[in-house]
Amino acid sequence: MVLALLMCGAVVLLVLVGLFAFGVRRRLIQRSGGTFDCNLRWEVSEGEAAEPTGKGWAYGIARYNGDRIEWFRVFSYAPRPRRQLVRGAIDVLERRGPQGEEEQALLSDAVVLACAVGPARERVELALSEDALTGFLAWLEAAPPGQRVNVA
């Protein structure tokens, strides 16, 4: 009986330590400022673009860092960003509201922004709030002189 209580206590302690670590990591990411909640769907195929589903979305935090946006998964312990988007390599393709199953997968006030990223022109979708979208588009358009920016 005592062993069972000790095991239960150890499991509860591990869960609490894990949750605390998530909170500390998020605080460290947000400490420098310029962060916003951002869902991300990477390498979206043409079929998924035409008929969006709720699959493939990952919840995260994005942070402005010079000419890059660093994207961190929320449910991860990794100290480094999972993805990086370089300002000069982002072309905004379209802006739309969540459709079908996406309404359950994304935050309630989300706007989906489809972009082509990098030299391979991979299709990436970002789901952000209206305020974060305004900041993102302003950041894109504020590129230094001579840089190519394509905002639809």
Side-chain angles (χ1 to χ4, degrees):
M1 180 69 165
V2 172
L3 182 60
L5 286 175
L6 284 174
M7 291 300 290
C8 287
V11 168
V12 168
L13 183 63
L14 283 174
V15 168
L16 290 175
V17 167
L19 291 174
F20 181 74
F22 277 137
V24 168
R25 178 179 168 269
R26 184 173 178 124
R27 264 312 206 200
L28 290 173
I29 291 169
Q30 292 179 326
R31 181 175 57 182
S32 63
T35 62
F36 56 95
D37 291 333
C38 176
N39 291 4
L40 176 74
R41 190 159 71 157
W42 199 266
E43 296 179 2
V44 180
S45 68
E46 292 298 322
E48 289 173 316
E51 289 284 326
T53 66
K55 296 179 182 173
W57 287 102
Y59 185 63
I61 304 165
R63 175 175 68 188
Y64 296 107
N65 187 2
D67 280 345
R68 291 189 324 267
I69 287 186
E70 300 172 335
W71 185 82
F72 300 83
R73 288 183 75 104
V74 167
F75 301 110
S76 170
Y77 294 110
R80 294 203 170 129
R82 176 71 79 122
R83 301 281 185 190
Q84 294 189 21
L85 304 172
V86 179
R87 181 179 2 214
I90 302 171
D91 288 332
V92 176
L93 303 175
E94 70 175 305
R95 172 182 174 175
R96 63 177 174 79
Q99 299 172 355
E101 295 175 16
E102 285 182 328
E103 293 176 2
Q104 282 81 37
L106 303 175
L107 298 172
S108 61
D109 63 341
V111 175
V112 178
L113 194 66
C115 302
V117 177
R121 311 313 304 153
E122 294 175 286
R123 187 179 173 98
V124 175
E125 292 183 343
L126 306 167
L128 332 122
S129 68
E130 279 286 343
D131 293 339
L133 176 64
T134 301
F136 178 78
L137 293 176
W139 175 79
L140 274 180
E141 293 174 356
Q147 273 194 358
R148 173 189 67 81
V149 177
N150 187 9
V151 177

